[in-house]
Amino acid sequence: MHRETISQTLFRQSLLQTSRRHFLTESAAGLGAIYLATEGAANAVHASSETPQGFAPQHEATNPLSPLAPPKPAKVKRVIYLHMVGAPSQLELFDYKPDLKALDGKECPQSFLEGKRFAFINGTPRMLGPQYDFQQHGESGAWVSELMPNVAKQVDELCFLKTVKTDQFNHGPAQLMVHTGAAPMGSPSIGSWVTYGLGSENEDLPGFIVLLSGGRLPRVGKALWSSGFLPSVYQGVQCRSKGDPVLNVANPEGVSRQERRQVLDALAALNQESLKQYGDPETVTRIAQYEMAYRMQAAAPEAMDLSRESAETLQAYGAEPGKESFANNCLLARRLVEQGVRFVQLFDWGWDTHGSNRSESLEHGLPDKCKQTDQPIAALLADLKQRGMLEDTLVVWGGEFGRTPMRENRGGTTMAFHGRDHSPEAFTMWMAGGGVKAGMTYGETDPVGYTAATESVHLRDFHATMLHLLGFNHETMIYPFKGLNQRLTGVKESRVIEEILA
């Protein structure tokens, strides 16, 4: 007697519940998708290629994270991205504007307000001068605030972009713009694009890892490290610096590693059978993720164990094993890229300095955040350089937009604390490491730091430059979705910022 497999039984039952209308409605798209998926699986080889139509990374058929060489020469092998969630004030950190100090307390010119949209400013606000002293540092003479004394010692390693521009002035959409290139949810993050194109150099760890500090998720949460319309194997994996590095990484009580292996073998057999019948590429993802989770049980705790670092290293970062902190995450980022993780994303909550309360004020909240991050950032740069890794690692620092030169007057009133509203026209980011000119400042804002006076850099240009450093052409790194060849940089004009390339 012939016995059906479980998958055959499920398939037969689903057919019994499918009406003729459902079949006719879905067959054209469904059969086409199955055909394309089958063709994609059949054509998978061990290298990447670039055609006139676009770049097509071709990973091993059974390993969607197999390491690949980029289609073009690359200066960067890995990325550490430091995002200060809430948008730090460039006017208190890196964009020195003595002219703004002279305007402190005066009514804002109407020309600054006409045609502009603000999150909270009402009526006519007053100008607000820099709240902290600046000095020039290093051979480059870069201006840095007194709030960042340790980063100031590293300015000759940094490439400042002073005129970055975004299309969004609210946190959620602006954060999505920074990390996915699009304000609506549903697009892949930069880390997902990178691991899609390059895979991972460590088969026991994810290619894209996310670390959080500050006590809260970013405004739009996991959408910032989503794989979007790319296969889900390329989404970021959130890890923790306190407790188990990944939730449920340990086996349940009473389940041995051998028993876990037997369960996974049984699941793999079922998934392989499903793959043969339907050719769905997500089935390959599912198999790969189960296997990755099994290997991570051994690899992740060791990779995330800061107690293996020397006392000198822990002190340099200000790290404390067993706690959740930005300092711990910076040290973890170095450990992870050292072990072959392709893209490490750090999110640090608490930089939204509106002045609406003490913790969100320029006089209290901002110095607290700088104190938490200044030392570890400088230590990360020095550590990477000392290990010979900075030359092919790209470190990025920034927020989602800048802050206004006007003092926030929420409700049209003078607030108890000093703060600044959202400003998308020009804000500061910096890059360090592989392929960028060290000790350089690109672009200049107007005398009050409100808009770009020279060399405006849209986020699309920033994304194009990142991809270029990793060995990709932003115009040909595409993925077909909804009838279009989707790109990180979208359809609008964008360019590689050639002037900052080493």
Side-chain angles (χ1 to χ4, degrees):
M1 178 180 179
H2 176 69
R3 299 179 63 182
E4 290 182 329
T5 65
I6 293 176
S7 59
Q8 288 172 332
T9 301
L10 292 173
F11 181 57
R12 181 173 55 80
Q13 290 176 349
S14 69
L15 287 177
L16 292 174
Q17 298 176 28
T18 300
S19 68
R20 181 173 60 182
R21 178 174 295 177
H22 283 129
F23 175 78
L24 292 174
T25 300
E26 299 174 2
S27 61
L31 293 174
I34 291 173
Y35 168 76
L36 291 173
T38 306
E39 287 294 295
N43 292 332
V45 294
H46 299 268
S48 62
S49 62
E50 185 168 26
T51 68
Q53 291 75 36
F55 169 74
Q58 296 174 336
H59 296 276
E60 295 175 5
T62 58
N63 182 11
L65 284 171
S66 59
L68 298 176
K72 298 179 179 297
K75 297 289 184 70
V76 174
K77 291 182 179 179
R78 62 197 76 86
V79 176
I80 298 174
Y81 196 123
L82 314 173
H83 186 103
M84 310 295 105
V85 180
S89 171
Q90 75 279 11
L91 298 169
E92 270 68 45
L93 296 180
F94 301 117
D95 201 11
Y96 179 49
K97 294 298 171 183
D99 288 0
L100 182 59
K101 190 171 186 178
L103 296 172
D104 187 54
K106 296 182 179 180
E107 283 196 354
C108 175
Q110 286 301 310
S111 60
F112 283 20
L113 307 174
E114 292 171 356
K116 302 290 184 182
R117 300 175 69 192
F118 299 98
F120 296 104
I121 281 178
N122 298 103
T124 302
R126 295 189 178 275
M127 304 300 287
L128 181 64
Q131 299 298 292
Y132 297 95
D133 292 333
F134 280 72
Q135 287 186 350
Q136 287 180 288
H137 295 270
E139 293 183 8
S140 61
W143 290 94
V144 180
S145 156
E146 62 182 303
L147 293 179
M148 289 285 193
N150 291 291
V151 170
K153 298 174 184 177
Q154 300 290 329
V155 291
D156 288 337
E157 300 296 339
L158 308 183
C159 179
F160 289 100
L161 303 175
K162 294 289 185 69
T163 53
V164 183
K165 180 179 181 178
T166 179
D167 300 334
Q168 302 297 321
F169 69 98
N170 283 324
H171 291 290
Q175 290 164 12
L176 285 164
M177 277 289 296
V178 170
H179 293 284
T180 72
M185 292 186 182
S187 295
S189 66
I190 308 170
S192 296
W193 279 108
V194 172
T195 49
Y196 164 67
L198 297 177
S200 177
E201 293 183 316
N202 188 328
E203 65 176 11
D204 297 331
L205 291 171
F208 177 19
I209 288 181
V210 177
L211 302 170
L212 307 178
S213 58
R216 287 184 60 178
L217 281 168
R219 194 64 55 92
V220 290
K222 298 179 180 180
L224 296 181
W225 55 92
S226 166
S227 58
F229 45 74
L230 295 176
S232 57
V233 72
Y234 302 113
Q235 71 184 14
V237 175
Q238 182 184 338
C239 291
R240 307 184 301 166
S241 56
K242 180 180 179 181
D244 286 340
V246 181
L247 292 175
N248 303 313
V249 71
N251 287 325
E253 187 176 349
V255 176
S256 68
R257 188 162 174 80
Q258 182 179 0
E259 290 170 325
R260 181 66 170 265
R261 180 68 266 171
Q262 291 173 340
V263 170
L264 291 179
D265 288 343
L267 281 172
L270 290 172
N271 284 323
Q272 289 289 355
E273 186 67 25
S274 175
L275 181 63
K276 290 178 183 177
Q277 291 192 35
Y278 309 117
D280 185 353
E282 278 297 302
T283 306
V284 179
T285 289
R286 191 182 311 127
I287 296 169
Q289 287 175 326
Y290 278 133
E291 292 301 320
M292 173 68 74
Y294 180 76
R295 296 193 299 271
M296 281 181 64
Q297 286 187 310
E302 179 179 342
M304 308 286 284
D305 185 3
L306 295 185
S307 66
R308 296 172 179 268
E309 296 289 334
S310 69
E312 292 77 12
T313 299
L314 293 173
Q315 184 178 8
Y317 281 84
E320 299 177 87
K323 294 187 177 182
E324 180 186 291
S325 70
F326 181 79
N328 281 12
N329 288 348
C330 281
L331 182 49
L332 284 172
R334 191 271 290 161
R335 288 179 60 85
L336 291 169
V337 296
E338 194 173 34
Q339 297 184 56
V341 175
R342 188 72 71 181
F343 200 103
V344 182
Q345 176 71 62
L346 275 64
F347 289 103
D348 185 61
W349 173 271
W351 294 84
D352 196 13
T353 47
H354 284 284
S356 54
N357 57 60
R358 181 185 176 91
S359 66
E360 292 188 355
S361 67
L362 293 174
E363 56 263 58
H364 300 290
L366 182 62
D368 288 345
K369 293 309 300 180
C370 290
K371 187 175 181 179
Q372 295 166 19
T373 59
D374 173 51
Q375 178 182 342
I377 291 172
L380 173 63
L381 294 170
D383 199 4
L384 289 170
K385 185 174 182 181
Q386 183 268 329
R387 294 169 185 268
M389 297 177 63
L390 191 58
E391 62 188 30
D392 56 6
T393 301
L394 182 67
V395 182
V396 180
W397 178 96
E400 56 264 34
F401 41 62
R403 316 300 298 200
T404 58
M406 301 84 81
R407 181 175 179 177
E408 185 166 321
N409 63 340
R410 190 171 299 195
T413 63
T414 300
M415 299 161 68
F417 298 100
H418 290 86
R420 301 184 187 275
D421 205 350
H422 308 166
S423 185
E425 292 296 323
F427 62 102
T428 298
M429 300 180 72
W430 58 252
M431 308 165 84
V436 296
K437 290 180 180 177
M440 179 184 182
T441 294
Y442 182 76
E444 182 180 351
T445 55
D446 63 33
V448 296
Y450 193 30
T451 60
T454 65
E455 292 96 14
S456 181
V457 174
H458 198 279
L459 280 171
R460 291 187 296 272
D461 305 329
F462 166 71
H463 291 150
T465 305
M466 279 190 67
L467 292 178
H468 174 81
L469 291 168
L470 287 155
F472 298 104
N473 182 334
H474 69 279
E475 294 181 337
T476 58
M477 190 175 191
I478 61 173
Y479 191 85
F481 179 67
K482 289 187 175 180
L484 296 173
N485 288 330
Q486 306 287 347
R487 305 186 311 197
L488 173 62
T489 52
V491 297
K492 293 184 179 179
E493 184 178 352
S494 53
R495 75 178 187 96
V496 174
I497 312 167
E498 300 281 351
E499 296 89 339
I500 71 169
L501 302 181

